[in-house]
Amino acid sequence: MRKITIKDVATETGLSIATVSYAMSGKKVLPPETVQQVKDAIKKLGYVKNISASSLASNKSSLIGVVIPQTEPGSMMVFQNPFYSEILSSIEYNARIRGYHVIVSGTNADETYFHLAQQRNLDGIIVIGAYSEDFYEGLNESNIPVVLVDSYMDNHAYKEVKLDDIYGGYAATKYLLEHGHKKIAFLSGKLKTGGVSAKRYEGYRSALEEGGVPVNPSYLFHANVDFEKARKMARRIVTETDCTAIFCTADVIAMGAIKELNIMQIKIPQQISIIGFDNLDIANYCTPGLTTIGQDIFEKGKKAVEMLCYTMDEKVKEPEEYVVPIQIVERESVAYI
Amino acid sequence: MRKITIKDVATETGLSIATVSYAMSGKKVLPPETVQQVKDAIKKLGYVKNISASSLASNKSSLIGVVIPQTEPGSMMVFQNPFYSEILSSIEYNARIRGYHVIVSGTNADETYFHLAQQRNLDGIIVIGAYSEDFYEGLNESNIPVVLVDSYMDNHAYKEVKLDDIYGGYAATKYLLEHGHKKIAFLSGKLKTGGVSAKRYEGYRSALEEGGVPVNPSYLFHANVDFEKARKMARRIVTETDCTAIFCTADVIAMGAIKELNIMQIKIPQQISIIGFDNLDIANYCTPGLTTIGQDIFEKGKKAVEMLCYTMDEKVKEPEEYVVPIQIVERESVAYI
DNA sequence: CTGAAAGCGCTTACAG
DNA sequence: CTGAAAGCGCTTACAG
């Protein structure tokens, strides 16, 4: 069984391969009969276009690269984190319905990635997460359309899809304040300038300020976004402070806190309230259900693809920003005091 | 800045493009000086091979397709389920270090997928999960090397990576028996012949038999692998039966059971023991920690890639099976009775 | 409205 | 040991 090529379609229809190609791509207006003729022949022969060939000829690959952070360099990628799965899922779907395929890569976000990008002649790249300055520069030089997701860079001229983390931190804190809490612990990952934690902290601070509650430095706890670390921190919060509520800047952190408090027989939310950030599936699974800041991850992936497609089609590289709306997902981990 | 091609490398070295190509691929033995010369020129010029071109010429794409189930047809893929994330992560990593890129697709597992496979000229396909008979037939006709993961088909002549589900069900049940339980509820998804649930049930049955405990049909509960459904079932188990333990055939099901029992103030494991299956991250997060049947997901993905690469390289299509070992991950959800 | 033909950047029998 | 050349299957200016 030989492979069917465009030549076969041409022979079948009695047209030239040029005309068949135009009929398929629609890049030239042809009489409807001709187009229909080609369509029929394609169906009859079971012809499928060879993308390698078209990619070579047209210099377009219909391939989108997605960069995702990985735990250890040279090791596997981390999309164990449900957030990555969800957004990837959304990107894949939204790219596919627009005729693009997706190559996901947990490659070290360094030169090796540009190698892949060139090799495969990627039409566009979606970068999820934050990387080194060098990486963004290389990206820029590569001249491939790029959309950043959650990059936490303010100084760059990229298209970007992001969360309003300051507002998220503000909303979470305000929610606790509205429930009567004044002694609110802040439990987060490392506080890098410009990073997520820092922004959510800024929101925390401004909500407290607005509520007339001074920030108490002894209520601030920073570790990693890690379940076990969070457990230790939660224990310290409970033993070293008199906080009535904890704002955890990630659901995974909140999970650790809940686990530890459960073990210590401290009742949530009766004795202490907890609010998270992310609205992962697990927020619903745990007991009590975790009240948390939710974002529409599907929407986030969709927007990223849309913005990328727009850039690829229109060749406009102007920076643009889309801020994904957030909302509070109320469950049972926060009580009135 | 023009694109650097093999021609530039040829010019730079004073060799022909044929020799450069051979030097790069190693498909012909060349004097080491020549190879080094080529390497140097590549580095100097920053040459990157155009995969579209080489793919067209050699009829190899260095692309592996991974098929993953999706929730609703035409909708997004489900790799919200952490299992998919993890195995995908492993596949991507193991493929990459062997020079392959991965195209993940939640496409309806039907003809449209073969379209993709042909378009991209996939070198191999890894299929995760169970699909329709038609899909497997199409797969076979496509003549592309295939490795199945968790397909739950016994009648096919494919290479396959799977779990010993019967043994898993046996081990879980035996573990409960060894802890003194005799009234053990079986809570699973739908019991399709040849499906996961059915196999784990078989293990459950044989362990009971071995332990001299008759199977009590009123202890059998089937719903979907779904958190909310599982909650309802757990409530029924507790109210309608006198079981002292529940074997949940998936961690997600166990999560639902734990949540419901927590709400009902039924103490785990003091009043009822629970064992799960999968060892997802959440098994560690919940309270009490879930004792469950674990599998090495990284290993599973790695094996799938290895088997696929072997098939692609050696052109041997003999069926072959790799059974991923399982182990009991002990946490706090099972008590001696 | 349609087609002949160059060209995209590789690989690989084949010849020497 | 090295190279000239055909060919992979498309796209696309260009001519008519």
Side-chain angles (χ1 to χ4, degrees):
Chain A
M1 186 179 97
R2 234 185 68 272
K3 246 199 186 157
I4 310 293
T5 74
I6 195 172
K7 235 185 227 165
D8 300 304
V9 180
T11 313
E12 175 74 21
T13 54
L15 296 160
S16 73
I17 62 166
T19 304
V20 172
S21 178
Y22 285 129
M24 293 192 302
S25 68
K27 290 197 179 170
K28 251 189 187 172
V29 192
L30 300 182
E33 315 75 275
T34 308
V35 175
Q36 190 56 49
Q37 222 185 127
V38 170
K39 274 191 187 156
D40 292 345
I42 286 174
K43 196 164 223 170
K44 184 177 167 200
L45 300 173
Y47 166 71
V48 175
K49 188 199 287 188
N50 178 327
I51 299 193
S52 293
S54 75
S55 173
L56 178 60
S58 69
N59 202 26
K60 289 189 67 242
S61 62
S62 299
L63 223 41
I64 290 177
V66 176
V67 180
I68 276 186
Q70 56 174 29
T71 14
E72 308 156 40
S75 151
M76 29 181 311
M77 46 199 287
V78 233
F79 58 121
Q80 275 85 327
N81 184 328
F83 168 77
Y84 294 109
S85 315
E86 278 196 53
I87 191 157
L88 206 54
S89 172
S90 170
I91 289 173
E92 193 278 336
Y93 172 70
N94 284 290
R96 177 152 42 84
I97 61 175
R98 282 171 182 77
Y100 290 93
H101 296 146
V102 166
I103 288 197
V104 179
S105 198
T107 320
N108 312 344
D110 55 13
E111 292 106 46
T112 63
Y113 191 73
F114 304 120
H115 195 255
L116 162 67
Q118 267 189 65
Q119 278 186 109
R120 292 281 176 197
N121 195 15
L122 300 182
D123 285 345
I125 301 177
I126 294 176
V127 179
I128 306 176
Y131 301 88
S132 73
E133 198 62 38
D134 289 358
F135 183 68
Y136 292 105
E137 267 174 36
L139 219 46
N140 206 13
E141 282 166 18
S142 79
N143 251 338
I144 300 174
V146 168
V147 169
L148 266 32
V149 175
D150 291 345
S151 77
Y152 298 107
M153 317 206 51
D154 297 315
N155 50 339
H156 271 272
Y158 288 105
K159 304 222 180 229
E160 217 172 323
V161 177
K162 46 165 70 171
L163 210 61
D164 189 341
D165 286 287
I166 299 179
Y167 178 68
Y170 170 84
T173 311
K174 175 134 189 193
Y175 182 85
L176 293 173
L177 287 167
E178 284 168 356
H179 282 69
H181 297 277
K182 296 208 180 303
K183 295 172 177 173
I184 303 174
F186 178 84
L187 179 46
S188 75
K190 297 240 164 61
L191 228 64
K192 279 177 291 190
T193 313
V196 217
S197 300
K199 296 209 170 165
R200 293 178 188 175
Y201 173 70
E202 200 176 322
Y204 164 83
R205 218 178 33 69
S206 82
L208 287 185
E209 200 167 297
E210 187 185 296
V213 178
V215 173
N216 184 335
S218 66
Y219 291 175
L220 272 25
F221 292 82
H222 311 294
N224 293 321
V225 181
D226 171 86
F227 180 75
E228 293 300 336
K229 285 269 169 57
R231 289 180 61 171
K232 290 205 184 96
M233 289 295 160
R235 182 171 284 264
R236 285 187 49 199
I237 290 175
V238 169
T239 52
E240 300 175 14
T241 79
D242 56 348
C243 289
T244 62
I246 309 176
F247 168 28
C248 300
T249 59
D251 280 356
V252 171
I253 292 177
M255 286 299 123
I258 290 176
K259 174 100 178 195
E260 194 64 17
L261 297 181
N262 275 335
I263 288 173
M264 295 174 76
Q265 311 252 33
I266 293 173
K267 289 228 186 294
I268 307 168
Q270 293 83 345
Q271 294 174 262
I272 193 161
S273 290
I274 294 191
I275 192 165
F277 207 116
D278 286 340
N279 194 30
L280 305 182
D281 281 356
I282 47 177
N284 187 34
Y285 293 167
C286 65
T287 314
L290 179 67
T291 295
T292 186
I293 303 295
Q295 54 173 312
D296 191 336
I297 301 182
F298 181 83
E299 179 66 19
K300 207 168 185 173
K302 186 177 168 204
K303 264 292 182 231
V305 172
E306 280 174 5
M307 282 167 69
L308 190 62
C309 286
Y310 181 75
T311 314
M312 296 187 300
D313 296 344
E314 309 296 326
K315 311 284 178 212
V316 277
K317 259 192 100 181
E318 284 156 31
E320 189 191 333
E321 205 178 276
Y322 176 77
V323 176
V324 179
I326 61 161
Q327 73 279 350
I328 294 211
V329 182
E330 293 192 89
R331 294 201 181 84
E332 304 96 38
S333 63
V334 174
Y336 280 96
I337 198 171
Chain B
M1 185 180 98
R2 234 183 70 267
K3 246 197 187 158
I4 309 294
T5 74
I6 196 174
K7 235 185 230 165
D8 300 305
V9 180
T11 312
E12 175 75 20
T13 53
L15 297 161
S16 72
I17 61 166
T19 304
V20 172
S21 178
Y22 286 129
M24 291 191 302
S25 68
K27 289 196 180 169
K28 253 190 187 172
V29 192
L30 300 183
E33 315 76 276
T34 307
V35 175
Q36 192 54 50
Q37 218 185 130
V38 170
K39 274 192 187 155
D40 291 345
I42 286 175
K43 196 163 222 174
K44 181 176 169 199
L45 299 172
Y47 167 72
V48 175
K49 188 201 283 188
N50 179 328
I51 298 193
S52 294
S54 74
S55 174
L56 178 60
S58 68
N59 203 26
K60 289 188 68 240
S61 62
S62 300
L63 223 40
I64 290 178
V66 177
V67 180
I68 276 187
Q70 55 175 27
T71 13
E72 309 155 38
S75 152
M76 27 179 315
M77 45 199 287
V78 232
F79 57 122
Q80 274 85 327
N81 184 326
F83 168 78
Y84 294 109
S85 315
E86 277 194 53
I87 191 159
L88 204 54
S89 171
S90 169
I91 290 173
E92 194 277 336
Y93 171 71
N94 284 289
R96 178 152 42 84
I97 60 175
R98 284 171 181 76
Y100 290 94
H101 296 144
V102 165
I103 288 198
V104 179
S105 198
T107 320
N108 314 342
D110 56 13
E111 293 104 45
T112 61
Y113 192 72
F114 304 120
H115 195 254
L116 162 67
Q118 269 188 65
Q119 279 185 109
R120 292 281 177 197
N121 194 16
L122 299 183
D123 286 344
I125 301 178
I126 294 176
V127 179
I128 306 176
Y131 300 88
S132 72
E133 200 60 41
D134 289 358
F135 182 69
Y136 292 105
E137 269 175 32
L139 218 47
N140 207 13
E141 283 167 17
S142 78
N143 252 338
I144 300 173
V146 168
V147 169
L148 267 31
V149 175
D150 291 344
S151 76
Y152 299 108
M153 315 204 54
D154 296 316
N155 48 343
H156 272 271
Y158 288 105
K159 304 220 180 232
E160 219 172 321
V161 177
K162 46 166 65 171
L163 210 62
D164 190 342
D165 285 289
I166 299 179
Y167 177 68
Y170 170 84
T173 310
K174 175 133 192 197
Y175 182 85
L176 293 173
L177 287 167
E178 284 169 356
H179 281 70
H181 298 277
K182 296 207 178 301
K183 297 173 175 173
I184 302 174
F186 178 84
L187 178 47
S188 76
K190 298 240 163 60
L191 228 63
K192 280 177 290 190
T193 314
V196 216
S197 300
K199 298 212 167 159
R200 293 179 188 175
Y201 173 69
E202 202 176 320
Y204 164 82
R205 218 179 33 67
S206 80
L208 287 185
E209 200 168 294
E210 188 185 296
V213 178
V215 173
N216 184 336
S218 66
Y219 289 174
L220 271 26
F221 292 82
H222 310 294
N224 293 320
V225 181
D226 172 87
F227 180 76
E228 292 300 335
K229 286 267 169 54
R231 288 181 60 170
K232 291 205 182 92
M233 289 296 161
R235 183 172 284 265
R236 285 186 49 201
I237 290 174
V238 168
T239 52
E240 300 174 13
T241 79
D242 55 349
C243 289
T244 61
I246 309 176
F247 168 28
C248 301
T249 59
D251 280 355
V252 171
I253 293 178
M255 285 299 123
I258 290 176
K259 175 98 178 196
E260 194 65 16
L261 298 182
N262 275 337
I263 288 173
M264 295 173 77
Q265 310 251 34
I266 294 173
K267 289 227 187 293
I268 307 168
Q270 294 82 346
Q271 294 175 263
I272 193 161
S273 289
I274 293 190
I275 192 166
F277 206 115
D278 286 341
N279 193 29
L280 304 181
D281 280 355
I282 48 179
N284 187 33
Y285 292 167
C286 66
T287 314
L290 179 66
T291 294
T292 187
I293 303 294
Q295 54 174 312
D296 190 338
I297 301 181
F298 182 82
E299 179 66 20
K300 207 168 186 173
K302 187 178 168 200
K303 263 293 183 233
V305 172
E306 280 174 5
M307 282 168 70
L308 189 62
C309 286
Y310 180 75
T311 315
M312 296 187 301
D313 295 344
E314 309 296 325
K315 310 286 178 209
V316 277
K317 257 192 101 179
E318 284 155 29
E320 186 191 336
E321 209 179 272
Y322 176 76
V323 176
V324 179
I326 62 162
Q327 72 279 352
I328 294 211
V329 181
E330 293 194 88
R331 293 202 181 84
E332 304 95 38
S333 63
V334 174
Y336 280 97
I337 198 172

